[in-house]
Amino acid sequence: MAPVFKKRKLSADASNGYAIRRSAEETSGAPREMHEDRTAARGSNTATSGAREESTPFLNGAYNSNMFQLKVDELLLKVRPKYERRMVRAENTLRKLERIIDRIPSRRAMPIWQAEREQRESHKIRIPFPNPRPEIDAKCTLAYSKPASISTTGSYVRKTAIEVGDQMRIDLAVTMPSHLFQNKDYLNLRYFHKRAYYLACVATGIEEAEDFNCRLEFAFQNDNQLQPIIVVKPNDGEWDFSEAKCEIRVILAAGGETFPFSKTLPNKNCIRSKADANTVEKGLLMPTPFYNASLRSECSLLAYSDFLAGASSKSEGFRDACLLGSVWLRQRGLGTGSTSGGYGPFEWACTMALLMLKDVEGKSILSRGYSSYQLFKATLQFLSLEDLAASPYFIKHECLTLENHDQPVLFDGSRCMNLLFKMTPWSYASLRHEAGLALRLLSNPLPDRFDACFITKIDDPFQRFDCVINLPTSQFQSSASKQIDATDDQIVFCRQLYQALRIGLADRVKLIHLKPPQVTPWGPAPSNVSVEISSKIQIGLLLNPEQLNRIVDRGPSAEEKEAASTFRKFWGEKAELRRFKDGSILESLTWSVSGPKNSILMQIITHIIRRHIGDKEADGLEILGESFDDLIARKKLAASDALALYQPIMGAFTILEKQMRDLEGLPLQIRQISAADPQLRYASFKAPILDPIKSQREPANIHIQFEGSARWPDDLTAVQKTKIAFLLKIGELMAESTAGLTARLGLENTNRKILNGAFLDIFYPSGALFRLRIHHECEISMLERALKGKSPTSNPREETAFALSTYKRNFNQSALFTQAIQTLSTRFPLLSSSMRLMKKWRDCHLLSYHISDELVELLTIRTFVHPYPWSVPGSVMTGFLRTLRFISKWDWRYEPLIVDFNGEMSSAEIDAIHLRFEAWRKIDPAMNRVIMFAASSLDPVGVTWTEQGPSKVVAARFTSLAKLAIGTMRAQGTNVEPQTLFAASLADYDFVVHLTPKLAKDKQAQEKKESVFKNMQVQFNEDEGIAGFNPVRIFLSELRAMYGSSVLFFDNACQGPFIAGLWNPQTGPRPWKVNVKYSTIPTVHAGQDDAELSINKAATLHDIARLGGDMVSKVEAKR
């Protein structure tokens, strides 16, 4: 038997927010009362269990900060329309319409066929009958009489409309006289047929008015095909109200007592056929809640206008809370129309007003004394925590039983209408999801929560959903028309689709959202007989990465006959009976792993659509977003399984750590061995491939730290020499303990004696390659003493400061950073792939040298640990695009980047970071040293990963490229081509140095197919004598050392076949002087006696080509 729901009574505690008493009737047996008191604290420390306990702080106090309050006040000021200045012409048009409608002559009652012919032939306006149309021989007659009243209503009158984006709507309500309707007109769409004729008469009167030339269109009120309306749009001339940026809607209403309340309750049936006569007597007809609520909404239009006006007068914060709610809903693409979710500003205002009502005990859920922000948060809390679909909510109404019910119910007993009747299961799930995200966002101490809640528009499907699917459908299936309620065929079709996807995808998705085709307005002329509807349904999915790529799905046991039969009926031939290792015999599904282009998600959705919708739709199915996975996925491995790519190198590191700790003969005990490399934190663009024939081309950096000892020297130069001795000993012992292992000592920073001077490359027989450095903790204190002048060292202060920052970055922060990302990568399965794709985008745009790996990783991590206003990314597409969006919006001149890795940063810590950022800007207002300030809970200093770059020029280009990428995505829409985001343009550079193709291909040697000739493999192994040897990188280092003051170089560290450059503007014409650091050429301008110096571009490019030798194929000068 279907679930049966009964009333939930409302109670409240004036001091503790709200509580709810429920009474529910079980599906079998006698009714049983169930009470559950749940309290949301307001000004109280009382906590409750579960999600309620987490939400109690939201009502404590109005704002978490004064700055947030100022932003809210400024927002309210900006979104509130300037009624006096803009609306004069619109008001004049409204008054004119009222006079025109009031003068329309009455028409006598006539049969439907005669009324329709008269409208079509005499007035050239078609009657917008709803489907199904009335029969020609129906006994019903149609007539027109003067309206009972004409009044302006809606948010415009209540002054809760917002001036943001779309045009503002002004509703002119025309109340039809009650004598036009009979007692039984609430049945079988008779009221709506008479309404359609009345609307056509009103349109005729407006259209034929001699001194009024505005354009008229028919549209559906709130996308409800039962309720056509007239949309009045401005035209040139006296009645041009376009400057008001609004549209006027003429909507119809009926008197509140036209039909009895008892006939239109949600559990009543109002659509019947002749064959249902016996069923009516037995009371077995299925209820028609949507039809009933549509009819009741016509009869309660003016009542709700008065109700909301009363709520506004009793609560000072009500009107502003409506404005905040309207902005919040709009930014999430939610609206009153069915295709927009069925929950808009009107429903928001009614929800607040109903929750402010007092029960029989004189208590209410929302206090009238709440501020606007408190009302806003408390309403979000109600929407998030209350499941109105599972437990319908009745206010001021007696017990009501609902059967076969699957949509939310917030029943207003005073007007006998379910406010949420236009909502669907998927739109209600989205509303609750968004409300929950907003609550968590508002509790976050980070300063950008205001923008995320009210400013950021998040209705872009490619950033809102992890996967977007386009389902083509030329027309909705005829079977959808067999439904008993008056819901649109497209909504019935979407319900069928939603149920199939929900069952089939199960726990692989967290949310399924459908966007039905948008119904467009149409002209009133008889020739406009059809309504244009787009041919695609858009499906948005929030994925569960942990379950997404499950290969085997377990169904019910073979012993559960009914459940097993249902399972086989749903899945068809795909279902199979299977015995598992634990001995259970279950119905099951097995999916193939054939690569990212035919993912398991694609297989499941295609099978569901083909079996339950149709072959044509399945063949035209478009799954958008998975193409981003193809850019980094390897073979049959999905992006969410990216950590498996790194298991070989991580396993090799574990072996190395164990072997080093087991070494005997070292002078000191090993305290710690730390990873400090992108390859060891799942973040390198190319996952390392271990091959015994050829070792890694890039070594993985690791650090070793010994126990403290007084035998270490006190001189920095001597410390570096001691490290060499330690490394030699470690290499000797490792080679002796492991067969086939090779250890080679390398030197670095030979011209800087106080920097780390040596490392040890360890080659494993498996192909793993590690670069070991020694971390001596006393070095930092030596450098700090030298920097303060308390050390006898003779090194310059700048060199000492550079050595100190390098030490902290390479030894302290790098290991902590690697460890933290290792943890986050296991917590967020898509983080690794998103970081890798971001690095690919950076490299493709030639910013490899300027934007460090760590900065890219920090920016991507922020998308996952601070995902608001969205949920945590569940696909590579959302992780990548949201990161790009943040970069495009981040104004690094005035805002620091703050990333809280574990979500435990306090407001005081965040304030300290802001204070440090402001200090940097005061010390260096021109931003010559620190451009981007990137702090985290691990590194509050904020300059560790950015003090070496980027420069202002590069940072600005970084931002502009991100903006261009986001703009490209918007322009492409559903025809998205991810490859276009990675195409670099060379038009902005002054010159391009083209490298030899052979050299560029050598960089991708890891991705090439293994050679089948063994002797060539051995020779390749013998030639790879220098670990990490990269001739292009060395070439670039020399170029930057020689021309860094005059040329800015750009390159792709992974696979770029060219190097681009920009001339420094300071190398342009300047007065003659000696000791210029670059090659110059004199220029004499006409009318001037003195020559000026400019950089000799031709000579410089020639020197670059000569320095590159065979590496350079050509140099292209652009300007």
Side-chain angles (χ1 to χ4, degrees), residues 246-261:
C246 68
E247 65 178 18
I248 298 175
R249 305 192 308 170
V250 179
I251 62 179
L252 299 185
E257 298 180 356
T258 303
F259 304 112
F261 287 160

Side-chain angles (χ1 to χ4, degrees), residues 503 553-572 575-577 585-589:
I503 296 172
D553 287 332
R554 296 193 178 196
S557 170
E559 299 176 354
E560 303 174 22
K561 302 296 184 182
E562 184 176 351
S565 175
T566 303
F567 186 86
R568 288 192 296 271
K569 181 179 179 180
F570 182 86
W571 291 106
E576 60 181 3
L577 199 61
I585 301 177
L586 306 174
E587 295 287 347
S588 64
L589 304 166

Side-chain angles (χ1 to χ4, degrees), residues 721-776:
K721 302 297 183 182
T722 306
K723 286 183 179 181
I724 293 176
F726 267 99
L727 292 174
L728 288 172
K729 185 63 175 179
I730 292 172
E732 178 184 343
L733 295 176
M734 288 290 292
E736 292 176 356
S737 62
T738 305
L741 182 145
T742 304
R744 296 176 180 172
L745 182 72
L747 300 179
E748 60 183 354
N749 301 317
T750 53
N751 57 341
R752 295 184 175 180
K753 303 300 183 181
I754 59 176
L755 291 177
N756 185 77
F759 55 83
L760 183 69
D761 286 337
I762 302 175
F763 298 82
Y764 268 87
S766 62
L769 171 59
F770 298 95
R771 177 160 289 179
L772 176 69
R773 292 180 176 88
I774 296 177
H775 174 199
H776 178 44

Side-chain angles (χ1 to χ4, degrees), residues 177 226 653 724 810 878 1083:
L226 296 174
F653 174 69
I724 293 176
N810 292 345
T878 48
T1083 57

